Amino acid sequence: MPDSALEAATRQIRAATADPALRPIVHTFFDEATFTATHVAYDPATRATAVIDSVLDYDAASGRTNSASAEAIVAYVREHKLKVEWQLETHAHADHLSAAPWLQEQLGGKLAIGADITRVQEVFGKIFNAGTAFARDGSQFDRLFHDGETFSLGNIPAIALHVPGHTPADMAFIIGDAAFIGDTLFMPDYGTARADFPGGDARRLYRSIRRLLSLPDETRLFLCHDYKAPGRDTFAWETTVGAEREHNVHVHEGVSEDDFVNMRTSRDKTLDLPHLIMPSVQVNMRGGHMPEPEDNGVSYIKIPINRL
């Protein structure tokens, strides 16, 4: 069966490769505390801008938040006279809190995520016993993207691709020739994302990655995380489809689906849970908002005992 969304994305990328006016400028902010890359992508002609996978600073020991990382984004946007139209989340992150609501207050922009966030909300709503007051319909977001849906960033066309496996709701947002792919892939020397969270699936991840690697070789890939592979001294978050297809240590050309699933499943069994998974998921499944305050006016993060 033809993959019409992939074909549309390919046409878009080839058009952008041929016409520099259709390529976004991308500036990245790297948060070393969570190893997260937040990308600010904009159309140089109209200054229309998307902020992708923002970070709200959180100290687990004290339970306190601060906006230093997000403030750097605000400063950059204002210095370059950009106009934020989108706050995009590639998925509900388990390793950092989203700063999207705080950034919306400062800069505007519609908050968007993949439509299958509702599946994540259903699963984790039960795990954290969020109660009936917690809406599981994605209404915390301004837009829920389905596979193949198109949008724009000023004059630059964009398309959303559903790439589940790490979580059920992962989306890749392709803006011009630049694909923001969340946690599906890491740098070629580091490999691929884990698939053992509730709702994750290594086989689906493999198929999603193969879908992304069917895009043109010159497609720019912007990653959500980097952890410095052994022997590499600097953080990195930009690569290409061609480089991943040829060199990715987990899923380069020639690696079969079964071999990948066996590798990924074995590797995931050795991994600890992310340090900030408890606060991150509870906040991010709510679109970056804290749980509703209790009767004393304070929000609380739950820790389910012996559950995860």
Side-chain angles (χ1 to χ4, degrees):
M1 186 180 206
D3 189 334
S4 58
L6 187 65
E7 291 172 357
T10 297
R11 289 193 298 270
Q12 173 188 299
I13 291 163
R14 287 179 175 157
T17 301
D19 184 355
L22 298 178
R23 301 176 206 159
I25 293 174
V26 181
H27 184 82
T28 299
F29 295 82
F30 190 75
D31 178 55
E32 193 166 342
T34 62
F35 305 101
T36 303
T38 297
H39 306 292
V40 177
Y42 66 94
D43 173 8
T46 66
R47 319 305 282 179
T49 301
V51 179
I52 302 121
D53 292 334
S54 60
V55 174
L56 182 70
D57 301 307
Y58 179 80
D59 179 69
S62 66
R64 300 194 71 85
T65 64
N66 76 75
S67 56
S69 295
E71 286 169 12
I73 293 171
V74 172
Y76 179 85
V77 166
R78 289 176 177 165
E79 178 185 355
H80 291 83
K81 297 180 171 55
L82 306 181
K83 297 177 287 188
V84 175
E85 294 185 349
W86 294 100
Q87 304 278 351
L88 300 177
E89 299 287 349
T90 56
H91 62 293
H93 307 277
D95 41 32
H96 70 272
L97 281 65
S98 170
W102 188 89
L103 286 169
Q104 279 186 301
E105 292 179 359
Q106 306 297 315
L107 302 171
K110 293 181 180 179
L111 175 56
I113 200 168
D116 276 6
I117 186 62
T118 56
R119 292 183 58 195
V120 175
Q121 290 175 327
E122 187 64 35
V123 169
F124 281 98
K126 291 177 180 177
I127 288 174
F128 290 111
N129 196 29
T132 57
F134 170 54
R136 295 160 169 81
D137 58 2
S139 57
Q140 301 87 346
F141 300 85
D142 299 312
R143 179 159 174 183
L144 302 181
F145 278 104
H146 293 84
D147 186 55
E149 278 196 86
T150 59
F151 60 109
S152 65
L153 197 64
N155 297 328
I156 300 177
I159 188 168
L161 295 183
H162 186 211
V163 287
H166 174 60
T167 80
D170 284 66
M171 298 297 289
F173 296 105
I174 304 174
I175 302 172
D177 69 329
F180 302 89
I181 63 172
D183 288 10
T184 51
L185 286 164
F186 298 136
M187 292 299 290
D189 59 358
Y190 200 88
T192 58
R194 66 194 299 164
D196 61 331
F197 294 148
D201 186 304
R203 200 165 294 279
R204 294 190 80 190
L205 178 61
Y206 178 89
R207 295 172 185 176
S208 293
I209 289 170
R210 284 294 171 217
R211 194 180 189 211
L212 288 172
L213 296 186
S214 298
L215 294 169
D217 279 359
E218 61 270 23
T219 307
R220 292 185 288 162
L221 299 182
F222 291 90
L223 317 179
C224 189
H225 296 288
D226 187 54
Y227 305 96
K228 289 186 188 173
R232 175 157 54 86
D233 296 328
T234 58
F235 290 108
W237 46 77
E238 180 180 353
T239 182
T240 65
V241 163
E244 292 281 10
R245 187 186 295 129
E246 186 172 355
H247 299 297
N248 188 285
V249 294
H250 291 167
V251 72
H252 56 77
E253 202 68 40
V255 174
S256 73
E257 182 172 320
D258 286 342
D259 285 346
F260 175 81
V261 170
N262 289 336
M263 177 282 300
R264 190 67 266 170
T265 302
S266 297
R267 182 176 172 83
D268 288 350
K269 289 178 180 177
T270 71
L271 300 177
D272 294 330
L273 286 175
H275 177 55
L276 295 181
I277 188 172
M278 297 299 180
S280 296
V281 174
Q282 289 177 77
V283 169
N284 295 336
M285 71 183 186
R286 293 175 166 88
H289 294 281
M290 297 294 164
E292 284 295 313
E294 298 192 8
D295 55 11
N296 62 354
V298 177
S299 292
Y300 290 87
I301 298 295
K302 294 180 178 180
I303 299 179
I305 304 301
N306 298 326
R307 181 64 177 85
L308 290 176

